[in-house]
Amino acid sequence: MDNRDYLRIRNFLGTLGCLLPFLSIGGAWLSPNIIYPDWWTSISVTYYSSPVLIAVLSAVSFFLILYRGYNGWDTAVNTTAGIAGLCVVCFPCEASWIDMSTRVGIFWLPVNVTRWVHYSAAFLLFLMLALNSIFLFSKSSNKIKNRIYITCGIVILAAFALFGLNAAFFDIKWTVIVNETIMLLAFGISWLVKGHVFDKWLGE
């Protein structure tokens, strides 16, 4: 691939990352399955209301797997993120209206099993995206871009930490989707910057 192909892939990934939370919620809101309670509490929960999450996250995951970076570490981090993203899709989380023994997902496993795979894969996905942004993207010669990459990575890690704190101590429903949206926006912005979308303001 030439440099233009790499830029297209980066911008494609960045755009999908930024749009994913809004497309997922919008798809669930327009779905006849909106009758489910708490459908809005998490992007992952929209899995049960609309196919948008499956389609968009699968596309992102496949492109991450196929993406070849500048070196082995770059490729390994993105491939791991892509595989984790597919696991998020294939192993759904629980929902308030579904019994834990209900079999779901492509492997038709009980929710009580798939939810743990889902959460572990989501953690690995966002960890890889954060590490990529902080340590790999930030090797640019542009100091402003490097600050943005590092900031995006830190925002992803901080939002995931808040997600864990909320799950452990507070269980405030609306904070889950807010943290997910923040992480996806940070991921998307990082890749769009890498795709030179903002060079007019940031420089090359």
Side-chain angles (χ1 to χ4, degrees):
M1 289 192 298
D2 62 26
N3 191 52
R4 288 175 298 179
D5 292 325
Y6 277 107
L7 293 181
R8 290 190 191 101
I9 292 175
R10 291 167 187 164
N11 292 333
F12 178 77
L13 286 167
T15 301
L16 286 185
C18 289
L19 291 178
L20 178 55
F22 307 104
L23 291 175
S24 297
I25 293 299
W29 184 67
L30 294 172
S31 168
N33 292 328
I34 197 175
I35 57 173
Y36 291 144
D38 300 337
W39 65 270
W40 53 270
T41 56
S42 168
I43 295 171
S44 293
V45 172
T46 64
Y47 171 94
Y48 296 103
S49 300
S50 164
V52 173
L53 173 66
I54 298 172
V56 177
L57 186 53
S58 293
V60 169
S61 299
F62 279 120
F63 271 91
L64 285 170
I65 291 171
L66 295 173
Y67 183 83
R68 292 295 174 264
Y70 296 114
N71 55 52
W73 282 110
D74 201 352
T75 300
V77 167
N78 286 300
T79 299
T80 302
I83 294 171
L86 289 179
C87 288
V88 170
V89 172
C90 294
F91 298 91
C93 66
E94 79 269 24
S96 62
W97 62 88
I98 295 179
D99 186 88
M100 286 295 182
S101 62
T102 303
R103 294 182 177 273
V104 296
I106 191 172
F107 298 107
W108 208 237
L109 295 171
V111 175
N112 197 37
V113 174
T114 64
R115 65 171 182 158
W116 294 114
V117 180
H118 180 93
Y119 293 137
S120 299
F123 172 76
L124 182 60
L125 168 63
F126 285 110
L127 177 62
M128 291 297 103
L129 295 178
L131 294 179
N132 188 43
S133 190
I134 294 172
F135 296 108
L136 300 177
F137 279 3
S138 62
K139 293 180 180 180
S140 163
S141 60
N142 186 313
K143 292 182 179 180
I144 298 176
K145 286 186 177 181
N146 288 342
R147 292 191 190 102
I148 294 174
Y149 297 139
I150 293 171
T151 299
C152 286
I154 292 173
V155 166
I156 292 173
L157 295 177
F160 211 98
L162 290 174
F163 176 85
L165 288 173
N166 180 64
F169 301 107
F170 304 108
D171 195 25
I172 303 172
K173 291 181 178 179
W174 61 265
T175 61
V176 175
I177 196 166
V178 170
N179 283 331
E180 290 173 333
T181 300
I182 289 172
M183 289 189 288
L184 287 168
L185 287 174
F187 154 61
I189 290 170
S190 180
W191 278 81
L192 288 174
V193 172
K194 191 67 174 177
H196 295 192
V197 169
F198 306 111
D199 279 6
K200 180 179 179 180
W201 300 278
L202 303 176
E204 295 185 6

